[in-house]
Structure formats: C-alpha cells, structure tokens
Amino acid sequence: MTNKDVRTPASVQDEQSPEAGKSIGWHKAYVEGTRPDLRVPVRQVHLTNGESVTLYDTSGAYTDPLVDTDVRRGLPPLRENWIIARGDTEEYAGRPVRPEDDGIKHTSPRGGLRNLDAVFPGRPRQPRRGRGGQAVTQLAYARRGEITPEMEFVALRENVSPEVVREEIAAGRAVLPANVNHPEIEPMIIGKRFLVKVNANIGNSAVTSSIEEEVEKMTWATRWGADTVMDLSTGRNIHTTREWVLRNSPVPIGTVPLYQALEKVDGRAEELTWEVYKDTVIEQAEQGVDYMTVHAGVRLAYVPLTANRKTGIVSRGGSIMAAWCLAHHKESFLYENFEELCEILAAYDVTYSLGDGLRPGSIADANDEAQFAELRTLGELNTIAKRFHVQTMIEGPGHVPMHKIKENIDLQQEICDEAPFYTLGPLTTDVAPAYDHITSGIGAAMIAWWGTAMLCYVTPKEHLGLPNRDDVKTGVITYKIAAHAADLAKGHPGAQEWDDALSDARFEFRWEDQFNLALDPDTAREFHDETLPAEPAKTAHFCSMCGPKFCSMKISQDIRREHGTGRAETDIEEGMAQKSKEFAAAGNRVYLPIAE
Amino acid sequence: MTNKDVRTPASVQDEQSPEAGKSIGWHKAYVEGTRPDLRVPVRQVHLTNGESVTLYDTSGAYTDPLVDTDVRRGLPPLRENWIIARGDTEEYAGRPVRPEDDGIKHTSPRGGLRNLDAVFPGRPRQPRRGRGGQAVTQLAYARRGEITPEMEFVALRENVSPEVVREEIAAGRAVLPANVNHPEIEPMIIGKRFLVKVNANIGNSAVTSSIEEEVEKMTWATRWGADTVMDLSTGRNIHTTREWVLRNSPVPIGTVPLYQALEKVDGRAEELTWEVYKDTVIEQAEQGVDYMTVHAGVRLAYVPLTANRKTGIVSRGGSIMAAWCLAHHKESFLYENFEELCEILAAYDVTYSLGDGLRPGSIADANDEAQFAELRTLGELNTIAKRFHVQTMIEGPGHVPMHKIKENIDLQQEICDEAPFYTLGPLTTDVAPAYDHITSGIGAAMIAWWGTAMLCYVTPKEHLGLPNRDDVKTGVITYKIAAHAADLAKGHPGAQEWDDALSDARFEFRWEDQFNLALDPDTAREFHDETLPAEPAKTAHFCSMCGPKFCSMKISQDIRREHGTGRAETDIEEGMAQKSKEFAAAGNRVYLPIAE
C-alpha cells in the first residue's frame, strides 16, 4: 500500500454510511498495477456467504475512509508524476485570469483582476502544455506503441490487457480523456470494446444555482456512478465554478467553451470571434478540462435545412453557431479554424467531443437531412483531428423513435471511422416531460447495445428545469441501468457476474447481500423496509409481495432440494416417483402455515 | 348525447382538478357510434392556439364531471343491453358464496354464510352464462362474421374499421376480454395491430393492504392509463375485494384463480384438486373476471429442467403447480383438464391468459429449455382453446437481456399462431432493485415494438415490497411510455400526432399546452414551477435550463422567422446574404439582454 501521505486513518470519513461503526457490507479497495503509485479503485462487496464481488468504482477518494478529503484543498494529483516523467510538457505562466472570465462586466464595482490562487484556495499551480506545442495526447503515445500508466490503469479497471487499450486508442476507436492539467483524475476509457460509460451534466445557469451546489452535484453524480461530468455553467462565476469542480473531480470533466465565449461578448452571438473563442479554449485547457464539445459541424449551408423542422435547432451550441453564421452570412469560424484548434487541444491532450449542433429535438425531426449533413462534416473533422493526434469522439442525438435508432450508430461508425459515439439518450417519445430519464433510458440502452460508447444522461427535469440533487441521482442510476443492460447484451466479459451474484442472493433470501449489490443500496433497503420494517424480515425466507405461503423462490428451493443439482435430467426424472414419496412422507409442506 | 340518466350535472365532480372552476385545458368527451348507447370516451385536450388533440382515455366515468360515481353502487352496466340483446345468455342462481371464498376458516368465529349482496352493497344481480353452455365469446361471434357493439366500440377507440377488429379477433391475433358478467367495462382490444396496452397489477397479500386500498389503486391505475388491471390478491377477503374491484372497474379485470384455490386448501399445494380449482374458476367467472391466468403449461416433465437454474421457478402459479406435480408425481391437473376448463370459460367469455409459470427470474436463466418447453405447450393449449372458441393470449417473461428479447416474441408468434403476447417487462438486468420499472421498461418498449400486444407493468417495488399509490402511478406511466414508444416505432397510424402536438407546443413556448398534453401533466407542471414558479414564466420564451440568453428554441424561431417556411432550399440560400444584412440592420439581437 502506498500513498500513505494522503492516508490519515485518524480522520476516518465514510460518506456512504452516516452511522459510524455499522458494518456496511462493502469497502473501497484498490487493485495495484506494475508500479506502486498505480492503484485502481474498486468497490468490494462482502457477501454474507463469505464470497465477495468486485464492482467498478467512480466515486473517487470520497468513499475511502482512509483518505482525508477537503474540497477547499482539492483531490491529490494522482497522475502528476506520470505526466512529469514523460518529460514532454512544460509549466508556463499561463493566461491571466480576467474578470470577464467569471462574467463580471468591466464596469462592475465587484470587478478587478484576480488569479487562480484567488479563485481557488488549493495549492498554487501553473498550467502545463506540450513542450514546443507538441502533441502530448494518449493517441500520440498509443500510435508510437507506448503503453502509458493511464492505459495500464484503464486496462486494470476494464479487466483487459494494456495492449488492447493501446490498440483501441491508436485506432481512434477509443479515447482516454486526460488533460495534462487535470492530474486529479482516475483514468477511464470510452470506446465500444469497453464498458459503456455515463456522463452527467451539471452547471449553474443565469437563472439559478451556485458554485457549492455544482461541486456537490459532481461528487454526488460520481458517487452513483457517473464516469464523466460535463460542467455546462452559463451564468456568473463560470471560471471559478469550473476551477472548483476540476480540482475536486476524480472523473474527466467536459465543457462547451462556446457558452463561456458567448458570456464574454454579452450574449451577442454575432460578436463572437475566433479570437474570443480561442482565448476561452486556452483558458479552459489551462484549467484542466478533459474534453470539449465543439460545434464545428454546424456549417452555414446547413442552417436553412432546419427552417422547416418541427423544433428547429435545439442544441444551444448549434443555435449560437447558426445565429453567428446567419448574422455574418459566413462559414462557421469553428469550421474555418479547425486545424488551429486541433493544435491547441493536442498540446494539452484535450479530447474533442464533436458536437451535434443540429441533432433532432423531436420525434418528427429524427434522422433528417440537417442531422446527417452535419454528421458527414463531423466525419471530415474527425479525420483532421486525428492528423493532429487529437483524441476524438462524436456526439449524437437526441429525440429518435426506436425504429430509427440503429441507423444513427451505424452511419456514425461508418462515417467517423469507428470513433466513439457519445449520445444524449436518445429520447424515444416526446410525450412524457418529467419522465425523460425513462423515455431516453430506453433509447440509450438500445444504442449502447449497438455500439455507442458513452451515454449522456437525461434527468427527470429535462425540458422543464434545472436538475437538483435527487434528479442527478435518478438520471445517473437510470443511465447506469441502460449502460449495464448494454454491457450484458454485448456479452462484455464479466458483466453478468454482477447480475448472477445479485440473483443468487435473491434466490437464497440473502436480503443484505441484495441491498449491498444493488445499484442503489439505500433505496432498495428503504423500499424493503417500507412494507416489512422488522429486522427479522431481513432474514425471512419470503417477502412482502407474496407473503410466506406463496413464495415461489421458497418453493423452488424445495424443488432443488428434492432434485439436487448437477445430476443428469434422466436421473432426476427416474428418481421423481421415489422423491414424490419422500416429499409426501415429510409432510407435503412446501409452505409455512400462515398465522391466523 | 345520451346516458342522461347517469348524468347529474348538479353533482359535478372533477377528480383531476381539485381547484373547482379552474380552466383545466382538457375535458372528457365521447365519440358516438352507430347507436345512441355506444359512446367511446376520449380525453380532449384544448390548446391555447385554438386547436385540440384527442387522446385515448382509460379513466372511466370517474373523470366525467357529469357522471355521479359512487364506489358503493358501482359503475353503470354499459354493456348490459348489448349482452341481453344477443339472446344467447341466461341468468341463473349461481354458486353460493362460502366463507372460505374470503379465506375465512370454518372454525373462525367470524365465519358464516354470506352472499353477493352482503359483500357488495350495489344493485342485486344474478350471474349470467351462455344458454345451454354455448360459447358466447367475441371470438365465436367474430368467426360467424358478426360485428358486435363491443367490436364497434374498440374500432372507434383505435380509429380502425370494425371489420379489421372482427378479422383480428376471428384470426386469434387479438382478444377483446369482456366477461358477460362484467357489463361495466368500456371494451378494449389487445393485439399487435392495435395500440400497445398496459396492465397494472394490484392485490392485497397475507402481509398487508386492504379492500379500500385495492379499489383505490384500480381507479388510480386506470386514471393514469392502465388498460387492464389484474387483481392478484392472496390474503383475506379475496372474494369481496374482487367484487368491489369488478363493480367499479371501467377496464377488464384479470386474475390468477390458482391463488384463491390455494387459499381454500390452507396453502397446501398438494391438497389442490381439479374440483377446488374448477369451483374457484366458476366463482370468479360468475363475478365477472374478464381474463384468467392459467398455468397449464407447467407439466411434470418440465419441473426437473428448472433444478439447475440460478433462480428456479419465480412465478407463483408456476411454483404452486410444480409443487403439486412433485407431491403427486402426476401430470398437472390443469393440463389434464384443459378441455373442460375451455368449456367453462367459453360460457362466460373469459379470456385465457396462458401463464408462463417457468419464465426466467434472472438474466442467467433467460431463454432456457424450461422456458421454451413450456412455450411449446402453450402453443398446443392455444390450439385447443381456439377449438372451444375461447379467446387466448400468451404470457411471456420476465428477466431477459436485450440481445435475447427478440427470440421470445418471434418464437411465441410462430408457436402460438400469432396469439397476442403479454409480457412482464422483460427486465434487462438484475442489478437494480428499486428501479425495476426502468430495467423492465427498456425491455418492454423493445418487445412491444417487435409485436407484443400488452405489457404487464413492473413497479419500483418489484422484488422488494407491495406497491403503494405512488409506485402504481410510476409503474403505469413508465409502461405507457414504453407502449407509446412502441406505437411510434411500429408506425401506428396517428401515434405521432401526440408527439407532434407536444413538440409544437414546446417549440412555441406554450407551456400550459405542454403540461396538458403530457402523459403526467401534474408532475410536468410541478417540475417546471420548482425552478421558475412565477406565473409569467408560464408564458416566457425561455426556461430555467438555459435562461433567456441561451435559449436554442428562441434562436431557432429567429432562424425560422428569417427564412420563413415552405420555400425551396435554393431560394432560402440565395436569400441568405440579403437576410444577413437585414438581420444586422435589426440590431443583430437574437438574445434578450440579461438583467444585471
């Protein structure tokens, strides 16, 4: 065991079990790699039958009682030595932070120059970038045949060989988002050969929410299984919120730089320039943003294709770029300057998430010409990005009825050389506002089965308001279900072990094991206790649904007891008449008599 | 307008709008058929733009302010005159109700003989059956070429011709469950050419819940869209609970007679006999149960096939029959007496729901030999039932990973001559107790797209406890989403009009219309108000997600305004340079400036 420096057993914190000292049935463990500082976190569930089950864990140091975390200090920079050891990056002064980065107008009395130390109280830091502007991306390393510690980390996490990880990244079929300025992350990989991942969006808006809330939403989302988090803040304190989120996040952080750029020009799309945008990208890259959504596929010529749509352009980024194109009657500055953008991203290892600005916002608009015209452009941009060794994934819809979903992933894979697809849902109907986690969970599970690598969650508040803490949890859990259902359907090695362990526990009435193995142990336990709160009911060989007389699991156990397991069927059948007699002799009681 | 007798405007009751007098944006309307007493209920949503949308309505008279409902009196017997007019049924004394029908032991001091009038205070009634035991089923009529008022009713409801309804029923591809002793129902149809239907299970158990609760759960489930309700009660007052549910239900009621039969033999499976079972079926048929789950496919030879399963037999009915077969080492008495059972059901027009007693209860057990052996027997029984003119549907699983779902519906359709498939989910993973409405909603949507006619809902309490009111609503809404997503994917005529109307409202910021068109208007409105409670926000041209500056819908509207609609794309493109100038001249403002 290493990292003793961050382990302070004297300050045990266990965020998951408010009742200290209570046996919680699982603990945070680490799988060690080939070097002492390469330790992959897992959730080790201890079953009452003495067995244990190892589950993928995204919750970071917050669930390790041996690590003393403090959001004002940030997480330990796990990857720092790996990055430094590569010797291909350098620290530099960095772009000064300006009041307008936080949406503060020049005339505001609250203005004034600040620096990173001022906005985040953690350790002093300077940004880092590729020496001489070189590409310091996992893609560049993979292409050179190098297996980085990050690759080994995800190989252990995914239970595959490091060479498989390297190959998938080198081929552009997977991305490992890991900005050199975000050393705090526990590396993860996004690609169709790996476990399906889930992204959770957070972010304040001009209307509501605060910095503290956003940091808390991030740790909350990762606790329930979010693999990445996008900070989509649009209001005040956009720079500072992001700094706090990054310094405290164990997962890669994504953003849409266009939102902040627009804030800098007071929300006037036509005043956006390549220079303002580029400055914003550098600002965010220096902070450590791991992937950026770039709506460079919204070209001038495609805007009219949306005019007769039922719901026009529903992507914020897409509509901003469309408005800019219209205002100037010019080709998109993102499209025009895409190569320079690639050079910037390559120097920090920021991964592209090529945005689908023209994604359909209703069932009626699914798979239309605007959407697929943009997809073809994304394919073209993917090729360019790869030339600059920039890791790239492609965003997808949106609102799509079930029978039109497969065409989306098939076309994307063909047009974009199998680059990872990253979809928002899709929502399979428009009629259920307040339940769009479900309308989209259906589409998400299907498209992930067919090859989508990461799913962007949708919360119950979609179309209606900003998600609160409960909504974030519901969104993440729903999407973890979709992702795991897809892992099962893809036959991902080891995926079914989790289901098997839970079903074994269910069949054997090991209630505590069922709860501890559940995606959401708290709610499972709460629902059980609601009907049968008594402690003995936790070991009862029946449950409240059927009561003691009707329990089918109980009857099945009797059948198994009668017939044993592992014997050939013919033996069993031959032995049945005899068994039948024994069964009768034993009183013919397959049910417990119910108390009058 | 007819049925004036039941319309008492003086006693206006509106269960959906507790604030009397408030404009609620929709009203209960009726589509009249070829006869004055044939009126099909619909939910007419009135939009703020003057248009209206007609939605399918399952909520019964309870949502009609002009009907004075009283659960102690029961619903008006809408179909009574149709049944009498056919002249092929007769009233008779009926089987006397016995104390044990309600689970009251002979030794109980609370025992004593009771009759129907005693257990339900509504109008006196005698049961009815086919004169001379003849088949009085919708299948028999359809085969004779008769279009019954029930068929016309569902034709209007589904917006198809009555002849299509008759053909589908005659071919056995659809069922119209309508016991001659349940005249209260508003007829509905279950078949793959029609809208996908949803069943909600209710029922008390030995452990918890009461009669009042079950009646209330039934009206609550149908209010949110349940097309049928199964009463799976197993504890006390099983007969009386069912009587209350039947007399107050506007939708067909299904049961599993085996549960009550087992109660009559004190929960001792081996003491079950064909006589006790048959008596129970007659008891329930006389009360008016519209369809019955019969686990006649669990044959002696299949029981050993389950011995090595991960979760054995998870169907209560299946496990009871398996226990009986084992105890006696005999073939199932349901299988052996199936023809006699057909004769009984035909005389009341009770529809078979051939139960899948060996359905898989875990991902590991999906699509195994036990499951498909039973399915082949269900195919055989389907053929026999049809010979007796008994309407028949086939039940399906259960727990099935996504890649194994399609095989279930394809095999069932092939083996059972396209009889309607009626599945429980399927659940696509085992790992999410407390969220099995979602794990199963995914599978339900997919299997319905591929041809399943009715989906049995799963609530969040599945595997954990008995559903309460909130769970019933969540289960129904989740399954209405799955069903509608499937209707869209199947290209069901008219299905997309609902989505289009809601998306139009969304695009045009008609918030009240969005709420009123939503599957759950109450929750949609509540979620919106949580972030932006002010009344002006209901007409705001933005929402809390993006705030006024970033609203993509707003930007899209500007684009549409710039480019108009209905013009050819080339015109639009040619006009763009000009438009761009106008746009600039107008101030280049696509966003509202945000207040400092």
Side-chain angles (χ1 to χ4, degrees):
Chain A
M1 281 294 183
T2 58
N3 271 6
K4 283 276 193 299
D5 53 324
V6 293
R7 297 184 150 230
T8 52
S11 64
V12 170
Q13 293 185 340
D14 181 358
E15 299 215 338
Q16 295 238 15
S17 170
E19 297 159 67
K22 188 182 167 190
S23 164
I24 50 168
W26 64 271
H27 85 285
K28 181 103 171 185
Y30 296 88
V31 178
E32 296 205 28
T34 57
R35 43 194 294 170
D37 64 346
L38 201 158
R39 301 164 65 243
V40 177
V42 293
R43 179 184 174 96
Q44 195 83 26
V45 182
H46 305 285
L47 307 183
T48 54
N49 65 0
E51 292 172 11
S52 79
V53 177
T54 302
L55 300 178
Y56 194 101
D57 180 49
T58 57
S59 60
Y62 304 104
T63 51
D64 186 341
L66 301 180
V67 178
D68 183 19
T69 58
D70 177 352
V71 291
R72 294 173 53 84
R73 205 175 64 219
L75 290 174
L78 296 179
R79 294 168 57 234
E80 193 165 54
N81 292 335
W82 308 345
I83 295 164
I84 292 171
R86 283 195 278 264
D88 55 359
T89 54
E90 59 188 359
E91 287 190 327
Y92 67 109
R95 170 191 172 284
V97 177
R98 294 188 282 266
E100 62 266 34
D101 298 347
D102 264 341
I104 295 163
K105 302 295 174 292
H106 302 283
T107 52
S108 164
R110 284 166 296 170
L113 287 172
R114 297 187 296 178
N115 58 37
L116 276 184
D117 297 344
V119 297
F120 181 73
R123 65 192 172 283
R125 55 178 287 274
Q126 276 204 316
R128 179 180 290 281
R129 68 181 167 200
R131 205 182 292 276
Q134 66 183 290
V136 293
T137 68
Q138 297 289 325
L139 174 57
Y141 306 142
R143 281 174 168 173
R144 291 205 295 263
E146 293 171 23
I147 291 174
T148 62
E150 286 88 344
M151 293 177 204
E152 186 191 339
F153 192 102
V154 302
L156 283 170
R157 222 170 176 182
E158 301 269 348
N159 205 20
V160 297
S161 83
E163 180 54 23
V164 166
V165 172
R166 191 202 61 76
E167 271 174 21
E168 291 299 301
I169 294 173
R173 287 189 298 263
V175 296
L176 194 164
N179 186 324
V180 294
N181 292 308
H182 195 196
E184 295 89 349
I185 59 162
E186 296 166 340
M188 51 77 71
I189 193 162
I190 302 165
K192 63 182 171 183
R193 301 252 169 110
F194 305 100
L195 291 164
V196 175
K197 302 305 185 296
V198 170
N199 171 71
N201 291 335
I202 60 169
N204 60 4
S205 82
V207 178
T208 178
S209 123
S210 73
I211 294 177
E212 292 73 17
E213 268 178 65
E214 298 315 312
V215 174
E216 215 257 320
K217 271 184 206 164
M218 180 275 293
T219 55
W220 183 242
T222 55
R223 170 173 160 181
W224 293 109
D227 295 285
T228 74
V229 166
M230 288 194 80
D231 177 5
L232 303 183
S233 295
T234 56
R236 286 277 185 156
N237 298 320
I238 196 167
H239 181 101
T240 305
T241 301
R242 189 167 52 235
E243 187 68 25
W244 280 73
V245 168
L246 280 162
R247 300 289 73 81
N248 286 291
S249 175
V251 303
I253 297 296
T255 60
V256 185
L258 194 62
Y259 296 172
Q260 189 182 8
L262 188 66
E263 292 283 350
K264 291 180 183 175
V265 295
D266 281 341
R268 295 186 177 87
E270 76 285 356
E271 290 186 14
L272 279 169
T273 61
W274 164 240
E275 286 66 32
V276 169
Y277 184 84
K278 176 179 159 183
D279 174 68
T280 306
V281 166
I282 292 170
E283 172 190 347
Q284 300 194 6
E286 288 180 349
Q287 285 187 287
V289 169
D290 301 288
Y291 66 90
M292 296 183 187
T293 295
V294 177
H295 296 96
V298 181
R299 298 189 59 181
L300 175 65
Y302 305 155
V303 179
L305 298 179
T306 68
N308 290 323
R309 274 181 159 186
K310 181 142 306 262
T311 47
I313 301 176
V314 295
S315 148
R316 280 188 268 171
S319 60
I320 292 163
M321 289 311 299
W324 187 92
C325 291
L326 284 193
H328 297 277
H329 193 240
K330 272 190 184 168
E331 186 56 272
S332 154
F333 63 82
L334 292 176
Y335 181 80
E336 296 279 322
N337 295 283
F338 192 74
E339 298 201 352
E340 189 178 348
L341 191 56
C342 290
E343 285 177 356
I344 297 167
L345 267 51
Y348 299 92
D349 200 3
V350 174
T351 297
Y352 269 125
S353 184
L354 293 177
D356 57 333
L358 303 182
R359 68 169 175 267
S362 56
I363 291 297
D365 294 342
N367 297 19
D368 72 353
E369 181 50 23
Q371 183 193 337
F372 287 149
E374 182 188 32
L375 180 58
R376 286 187 289 272
T377 298
L378 298 186
E380 180 195 321
L381 297 173
N382 173 58
T383 305
I384 297 170
K386 295 294 167 57
R387 222 166 60 219
F388 287 86
H389 307 297
V390 181
Q391 303 190 82
T392 304
M393 52 186 174
I394 312 291
E395 294 186 9
H399 290 239
V400 185
M402 282 192 286
H403 64 300
K404 291 187 178 178
I405 289 176
K406 195 158 187 302
E407 185 181 10
N408 278 275
I409 172 78
D410 289 349
L411 259 185
Q412 182 274 336
Q413 287 288 292
E414 182 193 324
I415 291 172
C416 303
D417 295 329
E418 301 182 79
F421 204 26
Y422 168 28
T423 62
L424 178 71
L427 288 72
T428 54
T429 167
D430 305 339
V431 303
Y435 298 84
D436 280 326
H437 57 307
I438 298 176
T439 65
S440 67
I442 293 167
M446 293 171 73
I447 204 163
W449 168 28
W450 290 323
T452 289
M454 185 156 76
L455 303 169
C456 183
Y457 87 168
V458 172
T459 78
K461 289 281 167 59
E462 183 77 12
H463 298 119
L464 297 169
L466 275 183
N468 62 22
R469 189 179 154 95
D470 287 345
D471 299 319
V472 166
K473 177 176 169 182
T474 301
V476 171
I477 297 276
T478 302
Y479 272 67
K480 292 299 279 188
I481 289 170
H484 183 68
D487 290 335
L488 285 175
K490 287 162 73 177
H492 190 91
Q496 199 183 311
E497 285 170 24
W498 186 8
D499 299 71
D500 289 351
L502 197 140
S503 287
D504 280 337
R506 183 170 282 156
F507 189 65
E508 292 166 12
F509 298 103
R510 288 184 271 112
W511 288 100
E512 284 297 334
D513 292 348
Q514 280 189 67
F515 302 148
N516 289 324
L517 284 165
L519 205 42
D520 177 1
D522 301 355
T523 307
R525 186 176 280 111
E526 181 192 318
F527 281 5
H528 175 269
D529 290 1
E530 217 173 90
T531 335
L532 281 182
E535 205 51 40
K538 297 268 175 43
T539 52
H541 278 204
F542 63 90
C543 68
S544 58
M545 287 169 293
C546 310
K549 280 206 290 190
F550 282 87
C551 182
S552 60
M553 293 272 184
K554 171 101 183 52
I555 296 170
S556 287
Q557 290 191 353
D558 292 330
I559 290 168
R560 182 177 289 186
R561 205 172 302 121
E562 289 305 305
H563 294 288
T565 53
R567 286 188 293 152
E569 279 166 26
T570 46
D571 288 348
I572 293 172
E573 286 187 43
E574 280 166 14
M576 276 183 80
Q578 176 56 29
K579 286 290 175 191
S580 163
K581 285 179 199 158
E582 292 171 18
F583 190 66
N588 274 333
R589 303 291 287 204
V590 289
Y591 319 103
L592 301 172
I594 188 165
E596 261 300 301
Chain B
M1 284 292 183
T2 58
N3 272 6
K4 283 277 193 300
D5 52 327
V6 293
R7 297 185 151 231
T8 54
S11 62
V12 171
Q13 291 185 341
D14 182 356
E15 298 216 337
Q16 296 238 13
S17 171
E19 297 158 66
K22 186 181 168 189
S23 164
I24 50 168
W26 64 272
H27 85 285
K28 180 103 172 186
Y30 296 88
V31 178
E32 296 205 29
T34 56
R35 43 194 293 169
D37 64 348
L38 201 158
R39 302 164 64 244
V40 177
V42 292
R43 179 183 174 97
Q44 195 82 26
V45 182
H46 305 285
L47 307 182
T48 53
N49 66 359
E51 292 171 13
S52 78
V53 177
T54 302
L55 301 178
Y56 194 100
D57 180 51
T58 58
S59 61
Y62 304 104
T63 51
D64 186 341
L66 301 181
V67 179
D68 183 19
T69 58
D70 177 350
V71 290
R72 295 173 52 85
R73 205 175 62 220
L75 291 173
L78 295 180
R79 295 167 57 233
E80 194 166 53
N81 292 336
W82 308 345
I83 295 164
I84 293 171
R86 282 194 280 266
D88 54 0
T89 54
E90 59 189 358
E91 287 189 325
Y92 67 110
R95 172 192 171 283
V97 176
R98 293 187 284 266
E100 61 266 34
D101 298 346
D102 265 341
I104 295 162
K105 304 294 174 293
H106 300 283
T107 53
S108 163
R110 284 167 296 174
L113 287 170
R114 297 189 295 180
N115 58 36
L116 276 182
D117 296 344
V119 297
F120 182 73
R123 66 191 170 282
R125 54 178 285 273
Q126 275 203 316
R128 180 180 290 281
R129 68 182 168 199
R131 205 182 292 276
Q134 68 183 291
V136 293
T137 68
Q138 298 289 325
L139 173 57
Y141 306 142
R143 281 174 168 173
R144 291 205 296 261
E146 292 171 22
I147 290 174
T148 62
E150 286 88 345
M151 295 178 203
E152 186 191 338
F153 192 101
V154 302
L156 283 170
R157 223 169 174 181
E158 301 269 349
N159 205 18
V160 296
S161 82
E163 181 54 23
V164 166
V165 172
R166 192 202 60 76
E167 272 174 19
E168 291 299 300
I169 294 172
R173 288 189 297 264
V175 296
L176 194 164
N179 186 325
V180 294
N181 292 307
H182 194 195
E184 295 90 349
I185 58 163
E186 296 166 341
M188 52 78 71
I189 194 163
I190 302 164
K192 63 184 172 183
R193 302 251 168 111
F194 305 100
L195 291 163
V196 176
K197 301 305 186 296
V198 171
N199 171 71
N201 291 335
I202 59 168
N204 60 3
S205 82
V207 180
T208 178
S209 122
S210 72
I211 295 177
E212 292 73 17
E213 268 178 63
E214 298 315 313
V215 173
E216 215 257 319
K217 274 185 204 164
M218 179 275 294
T219 55
W220 183 241
T222 55
R223 170 175 159 180
W224 293 109
D227 295 285
T228 74
V229 166
M230 288 194 80
D231 176 5
L232 303 183
S233 295
T234 57
R236 287 274 186 160
N237 298 320
I238 196 167
H239 180 102
T240 306
T241 302
R242 190 168 51 236
E243 187 68 25
W244 280 73
V245 167
L246 279 161
R247 300 288 73 84
N248 286 291
S249 175
V251 303
I253 297 296
T255 60
V256 185
L258 194 61
Y259 296 172
Q260 188 182 9
L262 189 66
E263 291 281 352
K264 292 180 182 175
V265 294
D266 281 341
R268 297 185 176 86
E270 76 285 356
E271 290 186 13
L272 280 169
T273 61
W274 164 240
E275 286 66 34
V276 169
Y277 184 85
K278 174 178 158 182
D279 173 68
T280 307
V281 166
I282 291 169
E283 172 190 348
Q284 299 195 6
E286 289 179 350
Q287 283 187 289
V289 169
D290 301 287
Y291 65 91
M292 295 182 188
T293 295
V294 177
H295 296 94
V298 181
R299 298 189 59 182
L300 175 66
Y302 304 155
V303 179
L305 299 178
T306 67
N308 291 322
R309 273 182 159 185
K310 184 146 298 270
T311 46
I313 301 176
V314 295
S315 147
R316 280 187 268 171
S319 59
I320 292 164
M321 289 311 299
W324 187 93
C325 290
L326 284 193
H328 298 277
H329 194 241
K330 273 190 185 167
E331 186 57 272
S332 154
F333 63 82
L334 292 176
Y335 181 80
E336 296 279 321
N337 294 283
F338 192 74
E339 297 201 353
E340 189 178 347
L341 190 56
C342 289
E343 284 177 356
I344 299 167
L345 267 52
Y348 299 93
D349 200 4
V350 175
T351 297
Y352 269 124
S353 185
L354 294 177
D356 57 334
L358 303 183
R359 68 170 175 267
S362 56
I363 292 297
D365 294 341
N367 296 21
D368 72 354
E369 180 49 25
Q371 184 193 336
F372 288 150
E374 181 186 32
L375 180 57
R376 285 187 290 274
T377 298
L378 299 186
E380 181 195 320
L381 297 173
N382 174 58
T383 305
I384 296 170
K386 296 293 169 56
R387 222 167 59 219
F388 287 86
H389 308 297
V390 181
Q391 303 190 81
T392 304
M393 52 186 174
I394 311 289
E395 295 186 8
H399 291 239
V400 185
M402 282 192 286
H403 64 299
K404 292 187 176 177
I405 289 176
K406 194 158 188 299
E407 185 181 9
N408 277 276
I409 173 79
D410 289 348
L411 259 185
Q412 182 275 337
Q413 287 288 291
E414 182 194 324
I415 291 172
C416 303
D417 295 329
E418 301 182 79
F421 205 25
Y422 168 29
T423 62
L424 179 69
L427 287 72
T428 54
T429 167
D430 305 339
V431 303
Y435 298 86
D436 280 326
H437 58 305
I438 297 175
T439 66
S440 67
I442 293 166
M446 293 170 73
I447 204 163
W449 168 28
W450 291 322
T452 289
M454 184 156 78
L455 303 169
C456 181
Y457 86 168
V458 172
T459 78
K461 289 280 169 59
E462 183 77 12
H463 299 118
L464 297 169
L466 276 183
N468 61 23
R469 190 180 153 96
D470 287 345
D471 298 319
V472 166
K473 177 176 171 183
T474 301
V476 171
I477 297 277
T478 302
Y479 272 68
K480 292 300 278 189
I481 289 169
H484 183 68
D487 290 336
L488 285 176
K490 288 162 73 177
H492 191 92
Q496 198 183 311
E497 284 170 24
W498 188 6
D499 298 71
D500 288 351
L502 197 141
S503 288
D504 279 338
R506 183 170 283 157
F507 188 67
E508 292 165 14
F509 299 100
R510 289 185 271 113
W511 288 100
E512 285 296 336
D513 292 348
Q514 280 189 67
F515 303 147
N516 289 325
L517 284 165
L519 204 41
D520 177 1
D522 301 355
T523 307
R525 185 176 281 111
E526 181 192 316
F527 280 4
H528 175 268
D529 290 0
E530 218 174 89
T531 335
L532 281 181
E535 205 49 42
K538 297 269 178 41
T539 51
H541 277 206
F542 64 91
C543 69
S544 57
M545 286 170 292
C546 309
K549 278 207 291 190
F550 281 87
C551 183
S552 61
M553 292 274 185
K554 170 100 183 54
I555 296 170
S556 287
Q557 289 191 353
D558 291 331
I559 290 167
R560 184 177 288 187
R561 205 172 303 119
E562 289 305 305
H563 293 288
T565 53
R567 285 189 292 153
E569 278 166 29
T570 46
D571 287 348
I572 292 173
E573 286 187 44
E574 281 166 14
M576 277 182 78
Q578 176 55 30
K579 286 292 173 189
S580 164
K581 286 180 200 156
E582 294 172 15
F583 190 65
N588 272 335
R589 304 290 288 202
V590 287
Y591 318 102
L592 302 172
I594 187 166
E596 264 297 304

